[in-house]
Amino acid sequence: MSGFPSTRRRGPGGRPGARRPGSRGDDATAPEMVPGAPDDEMGDPESVARGICLRALTGAPKTRQQLADLLAQRGVPDDAAETVLDRFTEVGLIDDAAFARAWVNSRQAGRGLARRALSAELRAKGVDPEVAAEAVNEVDDEDERAAARRLVERRAPGMRRLDRATASRRLMGMLARKGYNGGLAAAVVREVLDHADSADDADQAFDDLDVDSQLP
């Protein structure tokens, strides 16, 4: 038998392997910890909610619903979340109307989205339908038509090698994905392609004239 002493811990009374109540590994008395729960971080759910919202708003504006969803994901109790969201709305840190206006301006100018697509995006972000409608109505028919025309004019040159029917179908599909209705899409595509055809005819006529002038 080895002369080394046993390395097994002995509990009270010399019983090997006994653990003190509450010690690590005692499943019966270990407190239940929920990863990411507010009490794990600061102990005050409202303080946690304020911190989460401020960090989220630092990157970009958010709607009230987006922040509410984020707080729910982080385990903030509903009452604490509502208190903080109400306070942020009161002081103007949350402003869904301003968010909707900025979103419409950016997405309509930058991506050329139609009003239908803009409304769908705002709904997905939790903006109240009436607030969303007020922002989207800032885009009038002429704005929408001009945006559609810019999209087609930008895309059409890359389709010169296609026959007109195929180019028209692809351009109308692109406008449909941007939220434009079929009537407007068809009219704009026809206008742009007609103009392109006229320009091509003019270029061809000039080329022919230039060749004729060089003949003896």
Side-chain angles (χ1 to χ4, degrees):
M1 174 179 295
S2 170
F4 292 103
S6 171
T7 58
R8 298 181 63 189
R9 297 181 59 183
R10 296 179 179 273
R15 290 182 289 108
R19 297 187 179 95
R20 294 187 304 274
S23 64
R24 185 177 178 86
D26 189 347
D27 294 336
T29 58
E32 181 179 356
M33 302 297 288
V34 179
D39 289 341
D40 292 347
E41 297 184 19
M42 299 171 63
D44 177 8
E46 289 187 18
S47 296
V48 174
R50 284 193 294 272
I52 292 171
C53 289
L54 288 172
R55 287 192 295 273
L57 291 169
T58 298
K62 299 287 190 301
T63 66
R64 181 182 176 115
Q65 187 60 54
Q66 285 177 306
L67 292 173
D69 291 343
L70 181 59
L71 295 178
Q73 292 169 8
R74 295 293 301 275
V76 175
D78 291 345
D79 55 347
E82 285 297 316
T83 298
V84 171
L85 292 173
D86 287 345
R87 179 57 179 165
F88 274 42
T89 301
E90 179 183 342
V91 300
L93 291 174
I94 299 174
D95 188 339
D96 281 5
F99 176 94
R101 290 192 298 270
W103 185 267
V104 167
N105 290 336
S106 173
R107 301 288 282 177
Q108 202 271 335
R111 297 290 302 277
L113 297 186
R115 286 169 291 193
R116 183 170 60 183
L118 293 168
S119 295
E121 289 190 342
L122 290 175
R123 286 197 303 271
K125 293 185 178 298
V127 177
D128 181 86
E130 291 185 4
V131 175
E134 184 175 349
V136 169
N137 286 339
E138 293 296 317
V139 179
D140 61 25
D141 292 343
E142 288 304 313
D143 294 331
E144 193 165 83
R145 190 182 188 90
R149 187 180 182 91
R150 287 194 297 271
L151 288 169
V152 174
E153 288 175 339
R154 192 157 58 234
R155 188 67 63 85
M159 300 185 179
R160 287 182 180 276
R161 295 183 178 181
L162 301 175
D163 62 85
R164 177 158 177 151
T166 301
S168 296
R169 184 172 63 254
R170 293 187 181 182
L171 290 169
M172 288 181 63
M174 179 266 294
L175 290 180
R177 290 189 294 274
K178 299 282 187 178
Y180 292 92
N181 65 65
L184 175 60
V188 170
V189 168
R190 183 171 57 251
E191 290 173 6
V192 172
L193 294 184
D194 285 347
H195 183 269
D197 289 343
S198 297
D200 288 343
D201 290 343
D203 289 343
Q204 185 62 50
F206 181 80
D207 291 341
D208 292 343
L209 179 63
D210 186 53
V211 169
D212 291 342
S213 67
Q214 297 179 24
L215 294 176

